[in-house]
Amino acid sequence: YFEGNRLETDPNHGSVYLAGPNSTLPLSVANNKDILKNGLSNLIERLTDAGKDVVLIGPVPEIDVNGVSSIARAQTYGRETMTKANWQPVHQRIGGLTTFFEDIELKTQVKVVFPHRFLCSESWCQIKDAGGVFYHDRHHLSPHGARTVLQEIGLVRILEN
């Protein structure tokens, strides 16, 4: 809230990037989605009314393995390295926030980025490519994963800054 107030009035920040919740929200938040939705809607409205360009980054899809450790184990034991992992759609875990983010995208000037659109099919997420591993653990992107998603949407400059 306080950071939102600062960004709202700071003339040095024309663009604001908001990272959405991940799929392992504490139960107190996950069970109060309306509070999260109302707070986020209010913040986005205030920022856009203040003339800020807002980019909302949706939840990172949770996978069923730790990407880094599974690759390390495969290399240690001489097994083929996994390149994809099963995932549970985030919207099932956090009940409709993906739909909420899609509504924001349709009804406002906010750009919404959905990492699963770049990393996953309907049932599988890529966990690595020739450049490196996409995941730090089960539900956080590695720097390479974040860079890959941001490159896909032309926003890699935020990592460089």
Side-chain angles (χ1 to χ4, degrees), residues 145-160:
R147 188 172 288 106
T148 299
V149 171
L150 294 175
Q151 281 175 333
E152 289 289 335
I153 58 166
L155 292 175
V156 77
R157 71 181 180 275
I158 70 170
L159 283 178
E160 295 166 353

Side-chain angles (χ1 to χ4, degrees), residues 59-74:
V60 173
E62 182 178 347
I63 57 174
D64 66 350
V65 297
N66 182 318
V68 174
S69 67
S70 68
I71 290 170
R73 280 193 304 276

Side-chain angles (χ1 to χ4, degrees), residues 117-136:
R117 291 183 181 167
F118 304 103
L119 298 174
C120 306
S121 68
E122 198 169 304
S123 58
W124 295 96
C125 290
Q126 293 298 119
I127 61 172
K128 73 178 207 91
D129 67 5
V133 179
F134 295 135
Y135 283 88
H136 173 71

Side-chain angles (χ1 to χ4, degrees), residues 98-112:
T98 300
T99 303
F100 172 64
F101 289 177
E102 289 168 344
D103 287 345
I104 288 174
E105 188 174 40
L106 290 172
K107 296 176 183 175
T108 69
Q109 297 297 314
V110 171
K111 177 165 183 61
V112 181

